Amino acid sequence: MIKLSNIQKSYKLGKNSLHVLKGINLEIKEGEMVAIMGSSGSGKSTLLNILGILDSQDSGTYFLDSQEIKNLDETKAANYRNKFLGFVFQSFNLISYKTAIQNVALPLQFQKINRKSRQKRAKEFLGMVGLAEWSTHHPNELSGGQKQRVAIARALVTQPRVLLADEPTGALDSKTSYELMELLQKINDSGETIIIVTHEEDIASMCKRIVNLKDGKIVEDKHIKQKLASEYV
Amino acid sequence: MLRNLLNIDTWQEAANSIGKNKFRTIITVTGVFWGILVYITLSGASKGLDNGFEQRFERVSPNSFFTWIQGTTIPYKGFKSGRNFSLKLEDVNFLKSRIKEIKYISPAINRGVFGNGTTIIKRGSESESYGVYGHFPAILNISDKEIYDGGRFFNQLDIDNKRKVCLIGERILNDFFEEWEEPIGNNITIDGEFFTVIGIMKFVAGGGIEKDSDIWIPFTTFQNLYNTGERIGWLSVSAHDEYDVKIVEEKVKSLIKYKYDVHPNDKSAVNGFNIGEIFDRIKKFAKGLTLLSIVVGIATVFGGVIGIGNILLISVRERTKEIGIRRALGAKPDEIRLQIIIESVTLTLLSGVSGIVVGSFVLYTIDFFTKNMSDFPYTNPTVPISNIIGVLIFMVVLGSLIGLIPAQRAVSIKPIDALRED
Ligand SMILES: Nc1ncnc2c1ncn2[C@@H]1O[C@H](COP(=O)(O)OP(=O)(O)O)[C@@H](O)[C@H]1O
Ligand SMILES: [Mg+2]
């Protein structure tokens, strides 16, 4: 599903350059639920953004679904993001003047799917995250947990190959975090590949595999026995 | 791109983001609004003025002129300057036989207006001073005169027999006659002589210099009444259609100067009033006004459109994050660009159309309130529909062009950087 070989990434800061990713090799198979861990500044988000084609590596190769991702123009990149990838951000990133259902339907709009089908699909996915009743509410009328559920519905509505989540529980209290993890586990159980960036041990322990990042390198990569979030809730 | 242009969602998104900040939208559109308002109002007003003058003189043959004598201003052939003289009846044939461009020529004379003498008009106990004019029937060939039903104009017999018949303006009718009285066949006294009223002259704005309180009598009767001999006050002349009335006017004036020993360069001794020329002047003025409206309109619209571009730049900056989110979710740069351009065009059109609507309303209002003012030459102010369509196209083009700048700005930032924005 995903194959990274020797990914390097530096940021230019004036004259200096900050070497953030120093040769990342990583393979992720379909249906995995991977936590990318590491302390703040270790390069987790940078890695996830490259996986999400929001950013590009300086060198190294990236295969997504056996297609090499390189030299994409913005239109192609947008197309890949839309079709293959779903994003969940720490700060939800919902569009404030759109209702929950409109937010969820947005990626389908970019696929030029007609309004009726969009509405139907969006409703279905809102139902899946347990927010069917909230479809006409605006983000500011929702709790943090609800917002993140809307974001997850939005990320999944295009049925992407991979769901990428950057600190999805970072803005939530622990009870809400576990509820969210329960949802993500359920989604993963249905076959969806999920990659979660987090620096919280308990969140990571609810995944099936933990990749530890330190100073731009993978220092540990282990499969674990997944803890069920439902037991914590 | 075209597919996106026809996509309802693109328009919906543009409408949403315009509708989000209504106050700002209103501020944004005022610039272009004013420009279009100025253009519509000024150019409509100039058209109204144009129409107004046209209507005022529509009863006067456009290729006609009046000519009369004033004091000379240049000494010539032994005469001092300041000499006064009059045209004579014989001049009519003299001019007509020598200037083939003349179609009709009709002499006239008057009393009680233009500072020559006073008149006393009476009926019963009523007494007034009105202008009395001596005319020939030929005047009808040059400027139309409408007479109310039941009346008639004087004819050659009246001229030949110097009959004491008169036509009166409708205001005199109101001044001298009761509602129920039949004026035709009734008498009034003009400077002591009884005259039979044979017609009531309808007053229409369109007779040029005339008023609604004039009295017209046969020229020959006038001669008898006031003892004016062969003297005439002025000549009304119309030229055959194929000739330029200005040139004919010059010819007539030169010939008069020649006959009466007036210096050829004496500009004011033989005066004239040329409807065509007045028309030209009004037309030029109206044209100038139209041009001004276009220049001012375009300048203001330009300013306004640049304002829209600026506001959109700000709005795009504010929406950086949102645009980042959209792009992360798969919006293509072209779609983002198009949406901004549509916003720009929509704003431009919105302000333009409201300018057109308000401008039309202003024109209508002025027209409404001046409709019954006969002194105010202003009729039917309109802006041709083709100009309106032209204006709209102009705005769409300008709106799209200015929209390109914020549109490009919106996609120039990388999605990942846009997402980092707060
Ligand atoms: N756009 C950028 N420009 C410059 N430096 C950046 C940029 N993005 C991230 N960095 C730096 O790169 C390092 C890794 O950042 P990041 O991948 O966000 O780490 P993490 O998500 O693990 O906290 C940090 O030191 C951060 O300051
Ligand atoms: Mg991070």
Side-chain angles (χ1 to χ4, degrees):
Chain A
M1 166 76 24
I2 283 173
K3 191 166 191 303
L4 296 177
S5 316
N6 197 23
I7 294 289
Q8 308 265 352
K9 175 79 182 175
S10 308
Y11 289 114
K12 292 227 158 37
L13 293 164
K15 277 193 196 132
N16 307 326
S17 107
L18 182 66
H19 203 175
V20 178
L21 297 181
K22 304 169 180 169
I24 301 288
N25 296 294
L26 183 65
E27 205 167 327
I28 295 170
K29 296 203 172 60
E30 194 159 354
E32 283 201 76
M33 185 165 181
V34 183
I36 297 177
M37 283 201 69
S39 55
S40 178
S42 57
K44 308 183 293 291
S45 295
T46 305
L47 178 58
L48 197 76
N49 290 336
I50 289 173
L51 288 173
I53 324 180
L54 287 168
D55 209 345
S56 53
Q57 70 273 26
D58 297 340
S59 64
T61 55
Y62 170 22
F63 282 90
L64 171 63
D65 211 20
S66 57
Q67 291 212 45
E68 185 168 8
I69 304 298
K70 70 169 186 193
N71 301 335
L72 296 181
D73 64 32
E74 249 312 307
T75 306
K76 269 225 181 80
N79 215 10
Y80 276 114
R81 288 195 289 265
N82 186 253
K83 292 223 165 73
F84 296 129
L85 303 163
F87 291 95
V88 175
F89 304 92
Q90 175 173 357
S91 54
F92 322 125
N93 282 349
L94 298 177
I95 292 176
S96 60
Y97 61 90
K98 287 184 184 288
T99 60
I101 192 161
Q102 285 171 334
N103 266 286
V104 175
L106 196 58
L108 299 173
Q109 183 179 318
F110 300 138
Q111 290 184 356
K112 308 276 181 288
I113 288 172
N114 73 51
R115 183 176 295 258
K116 223 174 172 172
S117 323
R118 286 199 316 247
Q119 212 69 7
K120 193 165 156 271
R121 282 264 285 287
K123 200 162 202 140
E124 191 184 306
F125 278 80
L126 265 182
M128 184 200 75
V129 298
L131 290 176
E133 261 89 80
W134 295 84
S135 65
T136 57
H137 288 252
H138 285 87
N140 60 359
E141 298 161 339
L142 303 175
S143 70
Q146 289 174 319
K147 281 188 221 177
Q148 201 58 301
R149 282 163 187 270
V150 173
I152 288 171
R154 184 177 67 181
L156 292 174
V157 76
T158 55
Q159 291 163 315
R161 308 301 310 270
V162 184
L163 179 67
L164 303 169
D166 193 346
E167 314 256 13
T169 60
L172 306 176
D173 61 52
S174 57
K175 181 172 178 287
T176 316
S177 296
Y178 297 148
E179 285 168 356
L180 198 85
M181 284 311 289
E182 191 187 358
L183 174 64
L184 288 175
Q185 285 180 341
K186 205 177 83 193
I187 291 163
N188 175 244
D189 287 344
S190 72
E192 183 76 30
T193 313
I194 300 180
I195 302 173
I196 299 173
V197 162
T198 181
H199 60 269
E200 294 165 75
E201 293 281 356
D202 50 349
I203 297 299
S205 69
M206 291 169 189
C207 297
K208 293 173 175 167
R209 176 182 171 189
I210 299 177
V211 174
N212 239 308
L213 223 57
K214 194 176 182 201
D215 289 339
K217 284 191 181 127
I218 294 177
V219 292
E220 189 187 20
D221 183 351
K222 60 179 180 194
H223 290 265
I224 57 161
K225 182 161 186 315
Q226 187 179 32
K227 282 189 180 154
L228 286 183
S230 52
E231 287 168 13
Y232 288 78
V233 174
Chain B
M1 197 75 161
L2 185 67
R3 207 177 130 193
N4 289 331
L5 188 62
L6 297 177
N7 191 335
I8 176 88
D9 295 317
T10 321
W11 290 85
Q12 183 77 53
E13 292 286 0
N16 280 346
S17 87
I18 288 171
K20 243 187 316 174
N21 196 335
K22 294 197 178 57
F23 179 69
R24 177 147 84 198
T25 300
I26 289 169
I27 298 293
T28 310
V29 300
T30 44
V32 173
F33 168 79
W34 276 115
I36 296 299
L37 181 62
V38 164
Y39 168 71
I40 294 291
T41 320
L42 273 186
S43 73
S46 75
K47 183 70 187 164
L49 222 56
D50 206 24
N51 288 342
F53 276 95
E54 204 150 302
Q55 196 185 55
R56 163 151 302 198
F57 288 102
E58 74 189 349
R59 313 206 140 253
V60 182
S61 166
N63 58 338
S64 67
F65 62 93
F66 311 115
T67 184
W68 65 92
I69 303 300
Q70 290 180 329
T72 60
T73 55
I74 302 175
Y76 191 56
K77 289 194 174 167
F79 293 111
K80 285 188 191 140
S81 78
R83 173 171 63 105
N84 249 319
F85 63 96
S86 292
L87 292 171
K88 303 210 171 52
L89 265 182
E90 63 183 38
D91 297 337
V92 172
N93 282 330
F94 174 77
L95 291 168
K96 177 103 170 105
S97 62
R98 278 172 181 74
I99 301 175
K100 65 175 192 319
E101 291 93 332
I102 294 177
K103 189 176 181 189
Y104 297 110
I105 179 164
S106 185
I109 189 163
N110 74 346
R111 193 176 168 87
V113 275
F114 309 141
N116 38 358
T118 56
T119 62
I120 298 170
I121 321 294
K122 283 187 182 164
R123 179 165 191 266
S125 56
E126 303 284 341
S127 177
E128 268 292 349
S129 182
Y130 298 118
V132 178
Y133 292 74
H135 271 294
F136 283 95
I139 188 64
L140 297 182
N141 296 319
I142 299 165
S143 67
D144 196 16
K145 196 85 205 153
E146 249 188 276
I147 293 166
Y148 278 106
D149 284 349
R152 66 173 180 90
F153 203 78
F154 37 79
N155 55 32
Q156 196 56 41
L157 269 175
D158 299 316
I159 295 283
D160 292 344
N161 298 324
K162 300 172 186 162
R163 283 187 184 148
K164 290 181 185 161
V165 292
C166 67
L167 292 117
I168 59 173
E170 48 185 302
R171 210 186 88 201
I172 302 178
L173 176 69
N174 294 330
D175 288 352
F176 277 7
F177 292 88
E178 298 296 336
E179 195 82 35
W180 42 268
E181 277 181 306
E182 171 58 53
I184 308 290
N186 241 312
N187 287 341
I188 62 172
T189 341
I190 303 176
D191 285 318
E193 299 280 341
F194 276 108
F195 276 74
T196 307
V197 176
I198 58 169
I200 311 299
M201 297 185 285
K202 194 179 262 185
F203 179 73
V204 268
I209 55 170
E210 282 142 25
K211 295 203 292 211
D212 55 354
S213 60
D214 292 335
I215 298 177
W216 284 27
I217 61 177
F219 190 90
T220 48
T221 318
F222 191 104
Q223 284 177 307
N224 252 8
L225 181 65
Y226 293 114
N227 228 342
T228 49
E230 294 298 292
R231 272 199 288 134
I232 62 178
W234 72 93
L235 285 167
S236 304
V237 183
S238 75
H240 284 286
D241 293 340
E242 62 268 35
Y243 299 111
D244 182 355
V245 65
K246 264 185 253 178
I247 293 167
V248 181
E249 184 183 355
E250 279 319 306
K251 275 193 174 177
V252 168
K253 283 178 174 175
S254 312
L255 198 56
I256 292 172
K257 286 178 189 170
Y258 166 77
K259 182 164 182 267
Y260 289 98
D261 293 327
V262 176
H263 193 287
N265 294 340
D266 197 330
K267 284 265 187 305
S268 67
V270 183
N271 221 318
F273 177 85
N274 170 347
I275 304 293
E277 205 170 351
I278 300 289
F279 255 30
D280 281 356
R281 230 179 281 161
I282 302 297
K283 282 240 149 67
K284 265 195 200 125
F285 178 70
K287 237 191 213 137
L289 206 57
T290 308
L291 196 71
L292 181 77
S293 74
I294 290 173
V295 170
V296 173
I298 285 183
T300 322
V301 166
F302 257 113
V305 166
I306 288 171
I308 289 179
N310 267 326
I311 298 275
L312 276 176
L313 270 179
I314 295 172
S315 143
V316 160
R317 180 161 308 151
E318 287 175 356
R319 280 186 281 167
T320 304
K321 176 113 183 198
E322 182 195 325
I323 291 169
I325 297 170
R326 285 169 178 272
R327 292 176 72 186
L329 297 178
K332 296 180 183 68
D334 272 358
E335 292 166 348
I336 307 264
R337 273 197 210 103
L338 187 71
Q339 189 197 319
I340 308 284
I341 290 171
I342 286 178
E343 282 177 35
S344 172
V345 171
T346 308
L347 284 172
T348 317
L349 276 181
L350 190 72
S351 47
V353 168
S354 41
I356 289 171
V357 169
V358 175
S360 314
F361 182 74
V362 169
L363 289 178
Y364 172 80
T365 311
I366 299 176
D367 194 35
F368 183 81
F369 284 109
T370 57
K371 203 156 254 164
N372 296 319
M373 286 188 221
S374 55
D375 307 358
F376 194 71
Y378 185 87
T379 312
N380 206 9
T382 50
V383 180
I385 195 80
S386 59
N387 289 22
I388 301 274
I389 291 170
V391 165
L392 292 176
I393 291 174
F394 176 68
M395 314 240 317
V396 170
V397 171
L398 269 189
S400 319
L401 288 180
I402 201 73
L404 285 174
I405 299 168
Q408 193 50 43
R409 176 73 63 86
V411 296
S412 65
I413 177 167
K414 284 201 307 186
I416 182 65
D417 295 325
L419 278 170
R420 258 195 283 270
E421 201 91 359
D422 288 310

